[in-house]
Amino acid sequence: MDRRRITAEDVAATEALAGWTVDGELLRAELRLPSFAVAGRLVAAVAELADAHDHHPDLSLAYPGVVTVELTSHDVGHLTPRDLDLATEIAARAAAMGAEPAS
């Protein structure tokens, strides 16, 4: 497993993660979906991706359809390539469902 530290600069250089931010050791996105129901489907899709990667983000779902995703590699205490990989997949799935940055 690659335990290399990922920086805010690495995230900024990843075009697919436009709108994602690094806050300390968290990679974070707030995504606004077209409806609460669509946002719920995104949460379910992220849960499936997380299980497939055996890497699980913190998720929240709020009205009117905002999903917050926070990733970090808890086992090493910082962001790693697996956070970047999972975030990229989440971003692609979110975009396909009509997500836009919430802020």
Side-chain angles (χ1 to χ4, degrees), residues 1 6 12 28 30 35 47 50 56 59 66 68 70 97 99-100:
M1 174 177 27
I6 295 298
R28 187 171 195 276
E30 281 189 30
S35 71
H56 299 86
L59 299 169
V66 176
T68 303
E70 293 181 337
M97 298 175 103
E100 296 180 356

Side-chain angles (χ1 to χ4, degrees), residues 18-56:
W20 289 66
T21 60
V22 174
D23 182 14
E25 295 300 335
L26 288 176
L27 178 55
R28 187 171 195 276
E30 281 189 30
L31 305 165
R32 180 173 307 280
L33 283 295
S35 71
F36 192 77
V38 173
R41 288 194 291 275
L42 176 61
V43 168
V46 171
E48 289 183 20
L49 287 170
D51 279 348
H53 283 262
D54 193 25
H55 188 50
H56 299 86

